[in-house]
Amino acid sequence: MIKSLEGIGMTSRRTRLRLIKRLSEQGITNNKVLDVILETPRHIFMDEALASRAYEDTALPIGYSQTISQPYIVAKMTELLLEKTPTLHKVLEVGTGCGYQTAILAQLVDHVYTVERILPLQQKAKDHLWALKLKNVSYLHSDGGWGWPDHALYDGILVTAAPPEIPEMLLHQLAVGGVLLIPVGRAGNQILQRVIRTESGYDVEQLEPVSFVPFLSGKE
Ligand code: SAH
């Protein structure tokens, strides 16, 4: 069945408006980010059986033991990324998953380079972004612990799975002034970190407790 982009009932724009209201109440203030979330149909990123739950503020399964991130965390990470560098040309995303965060980023920056280690998920993400006519995205099937050196340096790097510590290759691929957002830690004990590359090194901020799927090495 072809999923409707418009959506009806629980997948309609009106339902997304309620989500936007909740996100503002939770402290998301960047109107560009809120607008993009309002206009992006999250229900097309998930299986038909779960589509009616697409605008609940929760992570949901997408197969292969992975999840689509909770809208709040997508909004928060995007807002934090844009806060220090309002015009982002090149952004690297590690952990494409079903492509929801990719779609949000693609509407706010010039080009998104996204890396995923599970091939069928990458294919799904491509289909979803194609349906939304988002073409400023390049995809790589790889272990994102290596980043994507061919297109470095990046103005922003956003990681959507949690490693026990920050992979060094990602730090090297960040431009001076660039921002890396990454959940760090093991299950039940993860902190969202923001790293900004300076002329002389890296400034690290510990932001808030989060809950992401683990960052795994290799590819499948
Ligand atoms: N960005 C997605 C979140 C997907 S969940 C969204 O918007 O919903 C995190 C994803 O990271 C999973 O698809 C998982 O396979 C992927 N992942 C985990 N470790 C990885 C690694 N080392 N390299 C690339 N992708 C990885």
Side-chain angles (χ1 to χ4, degrees), residues 58-69:
T58 177
L60 291 165
I62 53 171
Y64 310 91
S65 309
Q66 303 304 320
T67 54
I68 179 168
S69 297

Side-chain angles (χ1 to χ4, degrees), residues 16-30 33-38 42 55-58 70-76 79 100 104:
R16 284 203 294 281
L17 265 174
R18 285 201 289 272
L19 169 65
I20 294 304
K21 193 164 171 283
R22 281 202 305 277
L23 294 176
S24 322
E25 285 162 5
Q26 287 172 281
I28 305 297
T29 55
N30 186 319
V33 174
L34 290 170
D35 276 354
V36 167
I37 292 179
L38 175 62
R42 186 171 183 254
Y55 303 107
E56 292 175 16
D57 189 20
T58 177
Q70 182 196 0
Y72 168 76
I73 201 71
V74 171
K76 187 72 190 174
E79 178 170 278
Y100 179 66
I104 301 298

Side-chain angles (χ1 to χ4, degrees), residues 66-69 95 97 101 116-118 121 143-144 160 215-216:
Q66 303 304 320
T67 54
I68 179 168
S69 297
Q101 170 82 71
E116 170 58 54
R117 60 182 293 281
I118 301 177
L121 280 179
D143 175 349
T160 66
F215 189 96
L216 302 173

Side-chain angles (χ1 to χ4, degrees), residues 144-192:
W146 302 106
W148 191 345
D150 297 0
H151 301 285
L153 303 167
Y154 300 97
D155 308 310
I157 302 181
L158 200 149
V159 183
T160 66
E165 52 196 55
I166 301 177
E168 217 167 304
M169 289 295 279
L170 298 183
L171 294 171
H172 294 321
Q173 290 172 33
L174 199 58
V176 170
V179 180
L180 162 67
L181 276 153
I182 183 166
V184 182
R186 300 191 188 278
N189 190 21
Q190 297 171 4
I191 299 280
L192 182 62

